[in-house]
């Protein structure tokens, strides 16, 4: 059971040396280009799969939010119709009830129109 002495700077025979590759420089360049092309093709394939999955997710979200927005708009229209009918029952006039329900929307439109004209600098139109 003796201890073997190995010099620190002496190369070991069980490890391959970096300069032991017998391929020429052009062969190594061709192999590197081939490997880079393979890696790039794999990257494009992975990107296509990822983008396809992301597009499906975005399309699903757009459909869901679009459906929710449509339902909210329909419910608001139905609420306004019900409000007009309730006011018509109280006042006895459909025309007056429609004017009362439309008045807040008309005033908001007028205010936004005036603010828009001020912002654009068309004072002669909005004044």
């Amino acid at each position: 059971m003796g201890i073997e002495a190995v010099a620190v700077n002496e190369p070991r025979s069980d490890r391959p040396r970096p300069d032991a590759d017998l391929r020429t420089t052009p062969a190594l360049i061709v192999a590197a280009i081939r490997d880079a092309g393979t890696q790039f093709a794999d990257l494009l394939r992975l990107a296509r799969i990822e983008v396809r999955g992301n597009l499906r997710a975005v399309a699903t979200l757009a459909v869901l939010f679009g459906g929710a927005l449509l339902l909210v708009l329909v419910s608001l229209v139905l609420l306004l119709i019900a409000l007009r009918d309730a006011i018509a029952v109280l006042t006895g006039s459909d025309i007056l009830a429609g004017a009362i329900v439309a008045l807040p929307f008309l005033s908001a439109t007028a205010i936004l129109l005036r603010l828009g004209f001020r912002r654009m600098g068309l004072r002669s139109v909005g004044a």
Side-chain angles (χ1 to χ4, degrees):
M1 291 185 94
I3 298 177
E4 295 180 21
V6 177
V8 177
N9 292 335
E10 188 177 309
R12 295 181 57 172
S13 62
D14 57 347
R15 275 191 287 166
R17 292 180 42 188
D19 58 350
D21 195 355
L22 299 178
R23 293 183 287 180
T24 62
T25 302
L28 290 173
I29 291 174
V30 168
I33 291 172
R34 188 179 325 116
D35 289 343
T38 304
Q39 290 294 325
F40 188 68
D42 290 343
L43 177 68
L44 288 179
R45 192 175 311 116
L46 179 63
R48 186 174 52 237
I49 292 169
E50 288 289 328
V51 167
R52 189 178 298 146
N54 289 342
L55 286 178
R56 279 192 197 124
V58 167
T60 303
L61 283 175
V63 167
L64 290 175
F65 279 113
L69 180 64
L70 180 67
L71 290 175
V72 166
L73 290 175
V74 168
S75 65
L76 286 175
V77 168
L78 291 174
L79 179 68
L80 290 173
I81 291 172
L83 181 64
R84 183 195 53 92
D85 288 344
I87 293 173
V89 168
L90 292 175
T91 61
S93 170
D94 283 339
I95 297 173
L96 181 62
I100 291 172
V101 170
L103 188 64
F105 294 101
L106 290 174
S107 61
T109 302
I111 290 169
L112 290 174
L113 187 65
R114 187 170 174 92
L115 290 173
F117 281 141
R118 271 196 193 152
R119 176 142 305 184
M120 290 188 328
L122 301 174
R123 297 194 186 278
S124 62
V125 177

